Amino acid sequence: MKKNKLTTAVIAGLAGVAGVASVGNAVHVNPEGTGEVLIYPYYSVNNGLNTTYSVVNTTDQVKAVKVRFLEGQHSREVLDFNVYLSPFDVWTGVLGMTTSTIGSHSGEDAGAHASFDASCAPRLTKAGQQFLPYEIDKDAPNNNMARSTDGHFEVIEMGIVDSTSPLAAAATHVNGVANCAALDAAWGAGGTWDTNPDTYMLPPTGGLFGGASLIDVANGFNVSYDAVALDSWSISAQHTNPGSLFPSINDANPAVSNVFVNGATLTDAWSSGAEAVSATLMRSEVYNEYTFEAGVEGKSAWVVTFPTKFHHVNTAPAVPPFTNAWDGFEACEEFALKKWDREERTEVSFGTISPQPPEGENPLFCYEANTLEFIAPGAAVGDSNILGGNNLVSVQGVSGGTENGWARIRFDGSVNSMTGTTNTYEGLPVSGFMVQRFTNMDASPGVMALYGGLFNHKGMVNSN
């Protein structure tokens, strides 16, 4: 494994070749947790869950952000809208289960969004907006709206609204109230932004952070996570109307990445913004723990999400590091999984994966938001699917081992890799976490207690 720290001379050469103004104009994961783009690795409305989320503006500027929900199979958009955050503002929303009433999808399970926030979101039905099928329909006949009941979502800062403008004044809360009618009118026929979305807009400056919670209200279960924050995503404003699918994560500008590895900064230019973002999320290995302790009804599941996969596999051939294009139903990548129980007994999971891979092949992740459950040897598939994940892979624990331990996912670097102007990164761009749940039937006489925990994945960056 080789990690290169670019010298000033190399950086200068890269700037000359790729047209990069400076290394500072390179998208990167901000370890401080704030940025211009927030990636929320998972939402679910299955198994009685609601997903709540927040977006926080830590700056004294009015932010125009795109909020985008993407279903779990192929990251098709199921709901997009604009939010205009007042200085130091917080936007909140909640997802729940509904039944679609739209056309041929009537009667199908679907996700829905609601918000009672005072911030302005033109054209959004805040009291309840069901997820929309129009992008999923591009995958017909694989277009049931049940696909929308789990997935991931992202928040993209499109820019800041010039503080001297009337629309910035309209978006700013006065005694908790904004003039949302003025922003609605700006997007109306012949309105200021309808005529020219760039009016009063300045480049994004970052300073956003957010988080989400997966809540089972009926049973008293809750786990929460922080969004992944990408900074220096764009040097220009990319303000679009509330109904637009743009900007997407593919629109990083410039398409340059900074990856921080053991004190070194690896800088590369790419042919697309999605590749630049993917470079910042690349992992050759992913680590976390698992449990299925019977005495406390222990259950655990991993979320393994590939936030940029759509932009790599939506056309053939697939763009590295992915190898298979979306065929309307799946786009699969092999992985190797090895488990260790708490006494270091170990086992490779070939032969204990469900669904079973063909003999001689590794198990597969075929979707963009995957759930990997850990179950006791001989237990039923789905026994630990506590998030209700649609795109489920099941793994049995170590035979004869303890009921808990840790596991490693490894991607084959000779198959899954991507090469920028200077560095090659092995693995796949991944984010996610492990969720565990325990039930104490004897917390006190007649009282059942439910406990939960959530732990972000750890991993390895492998570059040469």
Side-chain angles (χ1 to χ4, degrees):
M1 182 171 65
K2 180 182 178 183
K3 300 177 177 68
N4 300 320
K5 186 169 183 178
L6 297 186
T7 65
T8 303
V10 172
I11 291 170
L14 175 63
V17 172
V20 181
S22 72
V23 176
N25 297 326
V27 65
H28 60 275
V29 175
N30 186 350
E32 301 302 323
T34 64
E36 298 172 11
V37 173
L38 303 178
I39 297 173
Y40 299 73
Y42 194 65
Y43 74 82
S44 178
V45 297
N46 296 316
N47 277 17
L49 293 172
N50 294 117
T51 300
T52 65
Y53 72 97
S54 63
V55 185
V56 180
N57 176 13
T58 67
T59 76
D60 61 359
Q61 303 159 331
V62 174
K63 301 279 190 179
V65 302
K66 182 77 70 176
V67 181
R68 170 170 294 118
F69 295 90
L70 304 134
E71 55 80 30
Q73 281 194 18
H74 187 42
S75 291
R76 294 287 191 187
E77 290 88 346
V78 290
L79 185 64
D80 287 24
F81 54 87
N82 292 0
V83 174
Y84 295 88
L85 295 170
S86 182
F88 310 111
D89 192 12
V90 181
W91 167 265
T92 59
V94 60
L95 306 180
M97 180 72 80
T98 192
T99 301
S100 181
T101 61
I102 300 174
S104 63
H105 297 281
S106 182
E108 296 173 357
D109 287 343
H113 177 276
S115 177
F116 302 96
D117 200 285
S119 299
C120 300
R123 301 181 188 171
L124 176 67
T125 303
K126 286 186 177 181
Q129 171 63 61
Q130 62 181 281
F131 284 172
L132 303 173
Y134 310 121
E135 289 298 302
I136 288 179
D137 280 342
K138 293 179 179 179
D139 291 332
N142 177 29
N143 61 336
N144 192 292
M145 281 301 290
R147 280 174 54 174
S148 74
T149 59
D150 74 340
H152 81 282
F153 59 108
E154 59 194 27
V155 171
I156 297 175
E157 183 185 351
M158 298 180 287
I160 61 175
V161 186
D162 189 334
S163 62
T164 64
S165 72
L167 292 179
T172 300
H173 294 171
V174 177
N175 296 323
V177 178
N179 182 7
C180 294
L183 299 186
D184 292 341
W187 284 117
T192 301
W193 282 334
D194 179 61
T195 302
N196 182 3
D198 293 329
T199 304
Y200 303 133
M201 295 303 301
L202 301 172
T205 59
L208 301 177
F209 75 89
S213 294
L214 300 159
I215 304 174
D216 181 347
V217 175
N219 292 301
F221 173 76
N222 175 73
V223 290
S224 302
Y225 66 83
D226 290 332
V228 177
L230 303 178
D231 223 352
S232 300
W233 175 77
S234 180
I235 61 173
S236 61
Q238 302 189 47
H239 189 219
T240 61
N241 72 66
S244 176
L245 299 182
F246 299 97
S248 76
I249 209 165
N250 189 41
D251 295 308
N253 176 34
V256 180
S257 63
N258 272 349
V259 178
F260 309 127
V261 189
N262 294 338
T265 300
L266 311 184
T267 301
D268 289 272
W270 303 89
S271 60
S272 72
E275 290 171 280
V277 173
S278 291
T280 72
L281 302 173
M282 289 288 283
R283 298 292 183 272
S284 60
E285 297 182 353
V286 175
Y287 318 123
N288 219 319
E289 296 184 65
Y290 67 84
T291 183
F292 45 81
E293 294 180 67
V296 287
E297 297 185 19
K299 301 180 185 296
S300 59
W302 293 14
V303 167
V304 180
T305 295
F306 306 111
T308 59
K309 184 177 178 180
F310 174 89
H311 303 286
H312 289 263
V313 306
N314 196 45
T315 57
V319 177
F322 295 93
T323 61
N324 291 300
W326 173 253
D327 65 5
F329 292 89
E330 61 184 20
C332 297
E333 300 292 334
E334 291 189 9
F335 67 97
L337 189 138
K338 190 171 183 178
K339 303 156 293 185
W340 290 262
D341 77 354
R342 287 193 178 173
E343 304 305 328
E344 299 86 49
R345 284 168 289 216
T346 187
E347 191 173 76
V348 176
S349 274
F350 178 76
T352 61
I353 290 282
S354 176
Q356 292 280 347
E359 186 174 356
E361 293 185 7
N362 285 319
L364 304 171
F365 285 135
C366 292
Y367 307 106
E368 261 125 88
N370 306 273
T371 309
L372 178 68
E373 67 165 357
F374 288 81
I375 58 178
V381 170
D383 186 60
S384 287
N385 190 14
I386 52 181
L387 301 177
N390 292 321
N391 310 315
L392 180 68
V393 176
S394 296
V395 178
Q396 295 183 10
V398 176
S399 299
T402 63
E403 297 175 311
N404 34 47
W406 71 281
R408 179 192 68 201
I409 290 171
R410 173 177 287 170
F411 303 111
D412 187 343
S414 65
V415 175
N416 299 119
S417 65
M418 58 190 298
T419 301
T421 48
T422 303
N423 300 283
T424 295
Y425 303 88
E426 296 181 357
L428 291 173
V430 62
S431 64
F433 45 78
M434 182 271 283
V435 173
Q436 61 185 18
R437 190 181 74 187
F438 304 101
T439 303
N440 185 349
M441 300 300 297
D442 300 305
S444 61
V447 175
M448 179 189 76
L450 208 61
Y451 306 93
L454 185 149
F455 302 90
N456 290 332
H457 291 323
K458 294 75 181 172
M460 177 182 291
V461 178
N462 199 343
S463 64
N464 54 66

